[in-house]
Amino acid sequence: MILSYLTHKKWQFDSAGMKILATKSPVAYRDLVQGFQGKKQTIICSSDDYETLEISKMFNFVGDPLLSGDIMTKYMCHIIKSYVTNLDEKNRNKILTAFHNLESTLQDSLLLEDLPLEINFDEDLKKLLKMVGLHLDHKMLLEPYDIIEMVLKVLEICNLKTIPVMCNVANYLDSQQLNELSKLVRQMNLILVLIEFTDSNFKFIPENAQFYYIDEDLVDWY
């Protein structure tokens, strides 16, 4: 896959792993962020055969792991779908039996009211899981590394093909954690794009990570 940022040299993503797009230019940083968000047409994506690919279909802009709010919310529909698809028949039947018991109890209680009340129940497990407020345990997602790791796990478990794009990760992780993250991404056979605002002396470039740098004068150093 090939990425092109305006008039700059192309970025070639040939294999899984961490891809660091670093810059000291506020203009370049803003263009990269808004390009991956789909707000500006500053980035062009194509296959190795130069077939145009849509940024919105290829990439998923996650943002800052701490400042972008509950970034896991957007993945809940995929998590619920994966859970329902992989639920074994025994547990599915137990859940539906309990569901019907609840429906029967509610119906009986409504008969005691003076109003013509009704309820609509169906056997849609996705709706049921949303109704009971299925969510990831927020106590397990307080550390930036844990949040990033969880995003990668969801991508793997739910078989999502979009490439996550995160900002400012180097602000939160030390060199050991960056190295561990790089290894994890490769082990999962995924691609992770990091956008970093920094000078050319990036604190640590993990082994096997691709590093691209644009300085404050918009000069490429890669």
Side-chain angles (χ1 to χ4, degrees):
M1 182 173 58
I2 302 169
L3 278 179
S4 302
Y5 164 50
L6 297 178
T7 59
H8 294 265
K9 291 189 291 185
K10 294 179 174 59
W11 301 318
Q12 186 85 37
F13 294 176
D14 294 322
S15 59
M18 183 185 293
K19 320 296 179 181
I20 303 173
L21 310 181
T23 183
K24 188 63 174 178
S25 166
V27 173
Y29 185 85
R30 183 179 65 246
D31 284 345
L32 292 176
V33 169
Q34 294 183 323
F36 281 113
Q37 288 177 325
K39 294 180 179 179
K40 283 186 176 181
Q41 295 182 339
T42 50
I43 300 174
I44 298 175
C45 182
S46 63
S47 67
D48 293 338
D49 298 324
Y50 293 97
E51 177 185 357
T52 301
L53 304 173
E54 292 186 39
I55 291 290
S56 61
K57 293 183 178 180
M58 297 302 299
F59 296 90
N60 172 25
F61 186 81
V62 180
D64 187 299
L66 287 189
L67 301 180
S68 296
D70 186 1
I71 63 177
M72 301 308 304
T73 300
K74 68 169 71 176
Y75 296 109
M76 282 311 304
C77 60
H78 301 291
I79 294 172
I80 290 174
K81 180 180 179 181
S82 176
Y83 169 80
V84 171
T85 300
N86 296 307
L87 186 63
D88 62 87
E89 185 176 359
K90 178 181 178 181
N91 280 306
R92 184 186 298 270
N93 290 335
K94 288 173 65 177
I95 292 171
L96 290 176
T97 297
F99 196 35
H100 287 305
N101 289 335
L102 172 62
E103 177 188 12
S104 178
T105 302
L106 286 172
Q107 292 282 18
D108 290 343
S109 68
L110 290 176
L111 294 176
L112 302 176
E113 298 293 329
D114 293 331
L115 299 174
L117 300 174
E118 293 183 337
I119 55 175
N120 294 319
F121 266 77
D122 56 41
E123 295 185 355
D124 190 332
L125 289 182
K126 293 180 182 179
K127 290 182 180 179
L128 174 61
L129 292 172
K130 290 180 181 178
M131 183 180 72
V132 299
L134 180 69
H135 62 278
L136 294 168
D137 187 350
H138 296 300
K139 295 190 296 293
M140 304 297 292
L141 298 172
L142 297 178
E143 296 298 325
Y145 186 92
D146 295 334
I147 296 172
I148 299 167
E149 183 180 30
M150 186 61 67
V151 169
L152 298 178
K153 284 183 177 179
V154 170
L155 293 175
E156 182 182 46
I157 292 172
C158 298
N159 196 30
L160 301 180
K161 302 302 182 183
T162 52
I163 298 171
V165 180
M166 300 187 181
C167 303
N168 311 321
V169 169
N171 290 353
Y172 305 118
L173 306 187
D174 57 31
S175 57
Q176 181 179 349
Q177 289 175 315
L178 281 171
N179 204 39
E180 290 176 356
L181 181 60
S182 179
K183 291 179 180 178
L184 179 64
V185 173
R186 290 178 64 84
Q187 288 171 0
M188 291 181 165
N189 196 33
L190 299 173
I191 293 176
L192 172 63
V193 176
L194 305 183
I195 303 176
E196 302 291 339
F197 189 80
T198 180
D199 56 29
S200 57
N201 296 318
F202 189 72
K203 66 178 184 180
F204 178 76
I205 301 176
E207 184 179 357
N208 298 317
Q210 290 179 260
F211 183 78
Y212 304 97
Y213 182 72
I214 300 172
D215 69 17
E216 58 267 35
D217 297 318
L218 297 175
V219 176
D220 299 329
W221 293 91
Y222 51 88

